[in-house]
Amino acid sequence: MNMDNLTPKEIVVELDRYIVGQNLAKRAVAVALRNRWRRQQLDPDLRDEVAPKNIIMMGPTGVGKTEIARRLARLTESPFLKIEASKFTEVGYVGRDVESIVRDLVESGIQMVRENRTREVKVRAERAAEDRLLDLLVVSANLPVGASLEEVRPAIKKQLRDGLLESQEIELEITEQKTPTVEMFTPQGMESMGVNFKDMFGNIFGGQKSNKRMTVEEARRILMGEEEEKLIDSSQVETEALRRVENAGIVFLDEIDKIASSDRAGGGGPDVSREGVQRDLLPIVEGTTVNTRYGPVKTDHVLFIAAGAFHVARPADLIPELQGRFPIRVELEALTADDFRRILVEPENSLIRQYTELLATEDLELVFTEDAVTALAQMAAEINNSAENIGARRLYTVLERLLDEVSFDAPDRAGERYEVNEGMVKSVLGPLAADRDLARYIL
């Protein structure tokens, strides 16, 4: 999508297609995203001085914190990483060190750029793979008496393009790579040891060629991969990925409240992975250079979006230095019955549509009446209030329970129409919702 025309209002509109409510959070991320474009328009001497305004999202589970960040990254094709802060430990203890965040983000960027390049060269790769397939088919063809290879080639090519030869077997020479795996600890942590021994030592390891018989369909897939590798410049992919990570990377740091120091939050338990982790995170968030297998990466302009329920701790329980690196704080509201109703029907990938399309593959027409949708939303809200509040994820549990029988019998009910109404919702879910102890285990 062209960022030149993507205003904050348009960003919010795009997010509204997938996420219900939470307008304050959408506005915050929309402004943060637009500020990135604004920074690129500045003079170079001022551009480097403008730091991203990182965001803390506060709200219970299942209200859309992760989805907002993920959709934002997809919208702008930005390298994106979701990571739980509670996975990290302070340097010197067993566990992942915080610099692995940047290394994982770079891997995400490499994959994204490689997928883009693959799409760009797809047509050329298909043509090259088709030519190689055609050579193999022509050589193995039983030629009519007096016919030459060039005479039968057009006919075989037409059959190949029409899909008539997909199941025919051919012999293809493939290269088997047997690069050894080595794990060792380094100052940057074990996960940084993505060493490509093939590049370092050539074909000492593996590279053994062998002939295998396979169908044309399987051979095409292998040949496509080989041709794509030939057309894609790995060094350009790495350079572009590092540029995107440094200027457009987004890190979603979940469960940030879990690393609030216990003495600040008033809780107990070990304090090793709390304040120490916060101090290790500090240089990554404020801007530092991390060495990766693809080269050094600066984090000065990576956008960090932290999130947490903050039931016990508060943002003020984080160390002051880290608080200052997250100047924007947004509180997400708990979902109501009306929100649940909208989630069921409004988004492009709404839950009702998902279940309807799934059962349509069995030639079973699934229909929800308006009163059924309303009853489902009310039921989910009531269960969240009486049991643990898991937000919109409650809709999955009630829908799975409601449609359990029809999902099981769907292959035997092809051609039927199955209507879900209010009475059915109340008869199936009502008794379970009324029994709080039972609802805790089933819903």
Side-chain angles (χ1 to χ4, degrees):
M1 182 166 291
N2 187 0
M3 281 294 297
D4 292 344
N5 299 322
L6 206 60
T7 65
K9 288 183 179 179
E10 290 169 338
I11 294 171
V12 171
V13 170
E14 287 294 322
L15 293 175
D16 283 340
R17 294 170 56 193
Y18 305 99
I19 303 162
V20 170
Q22 312 302 358
N23 290 325
L24 291 178
K26 291 175 182 175
R27 286 171 61 95
V29 297
V31 171
L33 191 62
R34 184 64 175 182
N35 278 338
R36 284 189 158 181
W37 176 84
R38 292 166 179 161
R39 187 180 74 85
Q40 296 296 331
Q41 315 309 309
L42 299 176
D43 293 333
D45 56 341
L46 181 59
R47 183 186 308 161
D48 293 338
E49 300 298 323
V50 178
K53 306 303 183 289
N54 299 319
I55 302 168
I56 287 185
M57 294 184 182
M58 301 170 286
T61 183
V63 297
K65 300 188 293 294
T66 305
E67 192 64 15
I68 288 174
R70 182 179 287 116
R71 290 291 176 184
L72 187 73
R74 290 183 186 177
L75 186 63
T76 57
E77 294 187 352
S78 301
F80 176 77
L81 177 69
K82 176 185 181 294
I83 194 75
E84 285 75 32
S86 55
K87 285 186 176 180
F88 298 102
T89 59
E90 186 179 3
V91 171
Y93 295 89
V94 176
R96 303 192 70 190
D97 71 288
V98 295
E99 288 190 353
S100 65
I101 293 175
V102 182
R103 292 190 286 270
D104 291 345
L105 184 63
V106 170
E107 292 293 343
S108 173
I110 292 286
Q111 181 180 354
M112 174 179 292
V113 175
R114 182 168 290 277
E115 288 174 354
N116 291 341
R117 294 288 190 270
T118 300
R119 286 194 293 269
E120 292 173 3
V121 303
K122 183 179 179 181
V123 175
R124 293 163 61 193
E126 285 177 344
R127 290 175 181 171
E130 182 185 71
D131 289 341
R132 292 176 63 183
L133 269 177
L134 197 55
D135 292 338
L136 294 170
L137 288 167
V138 170
V139 170
S140 61
N142 295 321
L143 301 181
V145 178
S148 66
L149 293 177
E150 294 303 321
E151 290 175 347
V152 299
R153 190 179 181 91
I156 296 177
K157 185 175 184 179
K158 185 177 187 305
Q159 289 181 318
L160 183 62
R161 290 188 170 179
D162 291 342
L164 303 177
L165 305 177
E166 294 300 292
S167 59
Q168 181 174 326
E169 286 195 348
I170 58 174
E171 193 172 85
L172 179 66
E173 184 182 68
I174 62 174
T175 302
E176 297 180 356
Q177 300 294 343
K178 296 182 179 178
T179 305
T181 301
V182 177
E183 291 184 355
M184 64 181 70
F185 286 95
T186 71
Q188 287 79 32
M190 190 176 70
E191 58 270 357
S192 69
M193 288 302 296
V195 180
N196 192 332
F197 285 98
K198 177 177 177 295
D199 291 342
M200 293 173 61
F201 301 110
N203 291 322
I204 294 177
F205 304 115
Q208 184 177 0
K209 294 184 178 181
S210 62
N211 293 328
K212 286 192 175 182
R213 292 197 64 82
M214 62 187 69
T215 63
V216 169
E217 183 179 8
E218 294 170 333
R220 179 187 283 108
R221 187 163 52 248
I222 293 174
L223 293 174
M224 274 283 293
E226 292 180 358
E227 294 300 325
E228 287 168 355
E229 286 297 319
K230 293 178 184 177
L231 294 169
I232 296 174
D233 188 332
S234 296
S235 62
Q236 290 183 0
V237 169
E238 294 168 8
T239 301
E240 173 64 15
L242 293 183
R243 187 193 66 80
R244 287 198 190 186
V245 167
E246 290 184 339
N247 292 285
I250 298 175
V251 174
F252 184 78
L253 199 59
D254 204 5
E255 297 182 351
I256 190 73
D257 55 320
K258 300 295 192 302
I259 62 170
S261 56
S262 57
D263 56 337
R264 291 174 179 272
D271 203 29
V272 169
S273 296
R274 295 190 176 197
E275 188 164 333
V277 174
Q278 294 181 56
R279 296 197 179 278
D280 289 342
L281 278 172
L282 189 58
I284 303 292
V285 176
E286 68 181 357
T288 189
T289 300
V290 176
N291 290 321
T292 71
R293 58 181 291 194
Y294 305 103
V297 176
K298 293 182 178 180
T299 64
D300 300 65
H301 301 291
V302 174
L303 177 64
F304 287 85
I305 301 176
F310 290 100
H311 291 310
V312 178
R314 299 168 299 163
D317 294 318
L318 298 169
I319 61 174
E321 297 90 338
L322 192 61
Q323 292 181 45
R325 298 298 181 267
F326 290 89
I328 301 177
R329 299 179 185 180
V330 181
E331 186 169 358
L332 283 78
E333 302 171 352
L335 299 175
T336 64
D338 184 62
D339 292 327
F340 286 140
R341 183 191 60 78
R342 294 177 59 196
I343 290 171
L344 285 170
V345 296
E346 287 188 10
E348 289 190 4
N349 57 344
S350 67
L351 288 178
I352 295 295
R353 181 188 175 191
Q354 291 179 32
Y355 281 93
T356 301
E357 295 296 333
L358 281 173
L359 292 184
T361 62
E362 305 275 9
D363 195 24
L364 176 65
E365 183 184 2
L366 179 64
V367 179
F368 286 82
T369 63
E370 286 290 332
D371 55 3
V373 173
T374 301
L376 272 170
Q378 292 174 345
M379 196 78 67
E382 290 173 4
I383 297 171
N384 271 351
N385 290 333
S386 60
E388 189 72 22
N389 187 351
I390 61 173
R393 296 183 180 94
R394 183 69 67 187
L395 292 173
Y396 287 99
T397 63
V398 296
L399 277 169
E400 285 294 328
R401 186 68 181 178
L402 177 66
L403 301 176
D404 176 70
E405 183 177 345
V406 68
S407 294
F408 186 82
D409 297 332
D412 303 321
R413 304 181 64 170
E416 294 185 16
R417 183 177 187 271
Y418 188 86
E419 183 177 282
V420 179
N421 53 40
E422 182 182 10
M424 182 183 300
V425 173
K426 291 183 176 180
S427 64
V428 174
L429 301 177
L432 296 175
D435 189 332
R436 292 190 177 184
D437 293 331
L438 192 58
R440 286 178 180 271
Y441 291 99
I442 296 180
L443 299 178

